[in-house]
Amino acid sequence: MDSKLDRLIGWQQDIINEVRSIQNTLDELRTTTETLMDEQQQLRKENYELRQMLEKNEAETNQIKQEKLLKSFEISNIPVSSDEDLLNIASKICESFGVNLEATDVKEIFRAPSNSSLKSQIPPSIIVKLKSREKKESIMAGKRNSRDLSTRVLGMPNKYPKEYNVYINESMTKRYRYLFKLARDQKRDGKLKYVWFRNGRLLARKTEKSKVKEITSSSVLNDITK
């Protein structure tokens, strides 16, 4: 009996030691888990800060690029024709709403590179780079006061037998084009009342009476439309 009791006591002690070992392991795992959770939280914070910094840098870089386009505008939806005189086209369009555009005003004029996927549907825009921002602003102001602008003002029925609507817009960076599309989608969904681009800035108003907000990133757009 004594021998059996000693064995039982030994087994009991072994079990106690094993339980203690398991408890120690659990404590270590708990400590490790807490440490990992703290590190994960820190990584989330750092990741958020890095995203904010990256977004800020992208916005600043985009603004610098946009400033280089402040003297430029685009004429869209004019079909490409053989031997076309782009300066003459741009001058006649501007003349239709009371602004004289001379060759001396223009630094460079050309067709934008065509998008092969849209080539059969949308003609590439005419890019007009001017020598002064004042001339660009006078053209944009004249355009805003003009309605139903079309190829009819060109007086070239042989080249354009069909009448096409013509659109004039400020030149935008690729990033602003993307943000402008997102903002217009939000407007279509009823989350914004007005969206427009003027003087190198993308602006929006959520309601008729709300303040005008500038959109510099998708996160800013999301904040406005909440």
Side-chain angles (χ1 to χ4, degrees):
M1 290 294 293
D2 290 342
S3 176
K4 289 182 178 179
L5 183 60
D6 288 340
R7 285 200 300 272
L8 286 172
I9 293 173
W11 290 343
Q12 184 183 39
Q13 188 62 46
D14 289 341
I15 292 172
I16 291 173
N17 290 337
E18 188 173 347
V19 169
R20 286 176 177 171
S21 176
I22 292 173
Q23 184 64 47
N24 290 336
T25 301
L26 289 174
D27 289 341
E28 290 175 0
L29 287 173
R30 186 180 296 108
T31 300
T32 301
T33 301
E34 291 174 352
T35 301
L36 288 173
M37 289 178 66
D38 291 340
E39 291 177 353
Q40 186 182 45
Q41 185 65 28
Q42 180 64 26
L43 286 173
R44 282 201 189 102
K45 180 181 177 182
E46 292 175 358
N47 188 38
Y48 173 77
E49 292 174 349
L50 286 172
R51 286 202 311 270
Q52 292 293 103
M53 186 181 300
L54 178 61
E55 191 170 86
K56 180 181 178 182
N57 289 338
E58 287 178 345
E60 290 175 350
T61 301
N62 180 65
Q63 195 59 43
I64 292 172
K65 290 180 179 179
Q66 185 60 48
E67 287 176 2
K68 295 180 180 180
L69 300 176
L70 289 177
K71 298 177 184 178
S72 303
F73 70 95
E74 301 180 9
I75 306 172
S76 304
N77 207 42
I78 294 183
V80 178
S81 63
S82 59
D83 302 323
E84 61 185 4
D85 185 340
L86 297 182
L87 179 58
N88 182 51
I89 291 173
S91 296
K92 286 191 174 183
I93 289 173
C94 292
E95 183 182 354
S96 70
F97 48 76
V99 178
N100 291 325
L101 180 66
E102 306 291 343
T104 53
D105 297 319
V106 179
K107 181 178 180 181
E108 189 177 3
I109 184 168
F110 56 92
R111 286 273 186 179
S114 61
N115 187 330
S116 58
S117 63
L118 301 174
K119 189 173 182 180
S120 62
Q121 301 176 11
I122 303 175
S125 299
I126 299 173
I127 311 297
V128 186
K129 295 185 176 181
L130 301 171
K131 294 180 181 179
S132 75
R133 183 175 174 181
E134 291 74 18
K135 176 61 73 172
K136 195 286 290 285
E137 290 177 353
S138 67
I139 290 172
M140 299 309 297
K143 184 268 296 190
R144 285 192 290 271
N145 295 326
S146 177
R147 294 183 179 181
D148 302 325
L149 191 60
S150 73
T151 50
R152 176 176 48 82
V153 303
L154 298 176
M156 303 177 187
N158 293 331
K159 281 186 177 291
Y160 309 106
K162 179 181 176 181
E163 189 172 324
Y164 295 89
N165 292 327
V166 175
Y167 307 98
I168 297 181
N169 296 292
E170 294 191 41
S171 294
M172 286 186 279
T173 63
K174 185 177 180 180
R175 177 182 170 91
Y176 265 135
R177 289 182 189 277
Y178 172 70
L179 290 174
F180 196 25
K181 180 184 180 303
L182 291 182
R184 284 183 297 177
D185 289 343
Q186 297 282 31
K187 181 179 182 293
R188 184 192 60 214
D189 294 339
K191 295 182 179 180
L192 290 174
K193 181 67 175 178
Y194 302 108
V195 176
W196 69 99
F197 191 86
R198 184 178 296 180
N199 295 329
R201 301 171 67 201
L202 179 55
L203 306 170
R205 183 178 286 167
K206 187 173 183 179
T207 66
E208 193 77 39
K209 297 181 179 180
S210 61
K211 293 182 178 180
V212 174
K213 301 286 187 179
E214 182 175 4
I215 301 172
T216 55
S217 67
S218 56
S219 61
V220 171
L221 175 60
N222 290 335
D223 289 339
I224 294 173
T225 54
K226 282 181 180 177

